[in-house]
Amino acid sequence: MVADSAAVPGSTSVAADLTFPDALTGTADEAARRLLGCHLIRELDGARLVVRVVEVEAYDQNDPASHTFHGKSHRNRAMFGPAGHAYIYFTYGMYHCINVTAGVDGFGSGVLLRAAEPLEGTGIIEERRGKRGPTALNGPAKLCMALGIDMDLYGHDLTRPPLRIELAGLKPGEHVDATERIGISKAVERRRRYIIEGNLYLSR
C-alpha cells in the first residue's frame, strides 16, 4: 500500500471501539497510524519508563523493503505471528530495533517504532543514553537503548510486562503526515513512514 502524504486529523488515528492489539489486525499502514501517540511502558530494574511513540514505519511481506519479503525465516518468524508482539532485530553488529507485529496471523507485517518522547522516567532515559532532550529517543536504535530492549524480548506479548503498549491516540491539534521511509534502498518511493507532524522528537 502506498499511503497518501496528506495530513490526517488526529481524530482518525485510533478507532474508539478498538483496543490493543485488535486495533492492529488491519493493514500495516492502518496499524502504523494507530500506534502513533501510543504509550510504550517499560519496567526496568525497578523503574517505570514510559514514552509516547511519535514516528513509525509500516512494512509487510509484499514490500521489497520488508524483512518478510522473501518469506518466513527463523529471524523474522515473529512478524508472521499474531498482532501485538515484538519483532526485534540486531543491526550493524551493535544496535537493536523493535517492530510491533500487525495484520492477521500468518501474514508477515509489522510497524517499526522509530522515535518517541519521554513521559515518565525521563532522567533515567537520558542517563541510559548519555543524551538530553530529543536526541535521547529520536531514532529506532536510540529508543531500544533507552528502554533496554534487546533480543531477550523477541516475540514478547506487548499486552504484558515488562514491556507493553497502551493505545492513546493524538492530542488536540496534532496531525499525522506520511513520508518516504528512512535508510532503505528498495521501495524508497513508498510513503509508509508516519509521523506526528512537527514533533520535536522526530528522527529528522
Side-chain angles (χ1 to χ4, degrees):
M1 173 178 177
V2 180
D4 186 3
S5 61
V8 179
S11 62
T12 65
S13 176
V14 179
D17 59 341
L18 294 176
T19 59
F20 183 86
D22 295 337
L24 307 187
T25 57
T27 68
D29 295 274
E30 291 169 343
R33 290 177 181 272
R34 288 170 179 162
L35 284 169
L36 284 174
C38 78
H39 295 176
L40 186 61
I41 303 164
R42 175 70 161 125
E43 296 174 9
L44 183 66
D45 298 331
R48 174 183 159 98
L49 310 178
V50 183
V51 301
R52 180 173 182 257
V53 173
V54 299
E55 178 181 346
V56 296
E57 290 179 350
Y59 293 90
D60 63 57
Q61 67 184 49
N62 297 323
D63 181 349
S66 175
H67 289 182
T68 59
F69 184 65
H70 295 292
K72 187 176 181 179
S73 68
H74 180 74
R75 182 194 191 205
N76 69 20
R77 64 194 185 282
M79 285 270 273
F80 288 87
H85 289 69
Y87 165 54
I88 299 166
Y89 63 91
F90 193 55
T91 186
Y92 297 115
M94 64 180 74
Y95 301 122
H96 293 92
C97 297
I98 182 171
N99 293 253
V100 181
T101 59
V104 297
D105 194 353
F107 184 80
S109 66
V111 178
L112 173 66
L113 304 185
R114 281 201 56 90
E117 59 182 354
L119 297 180
E120 294 183 32
T122 303
I124 296 172
I125 288 169
E126 292 181 342
E127 182 179 358
R128 288 183 57 84
R129 285 282 297 114
K131 303 285 185 180
R132 297 177 62 85
T135 58
L137 290 166
N138 65 343
K142 295 176 182 181
L143 175 62
C144 285
M145 286 188 283
L147 300 184
I149 296 172
D150 58 23
M151 298 303 291
D152 288 342
L153 288 166
Y154 186 96
H156 176 70
D157 179 350
L158 292 167
T159 66
R160 300 177 179 276
L163 182 67
R164 59 190 179 89
I165 284 176
E166 290 182 356
L167 297 182
L170 303 184
K171 298 175 183 178
E174 288 185 329
H175 297 274
V176 174
D177 196 14
T179 76
E180 293 87 358
R181 292 169 293 187
I182 296 173
I184 60 172
S185 60
K186 299 177 181 178
V188 295
E189 76 287 352
R190 298 188 184 184
R191 294 179 177 268
R192 305 191 79 184
R193 172 179 174 252
Y194 298 95
I195 62 173
I196 297 179
E197 190 175 19
N199 189 278
L200 295 177
Y201 283 80
L202 298 179
S203 62
R204 72 179 189 192

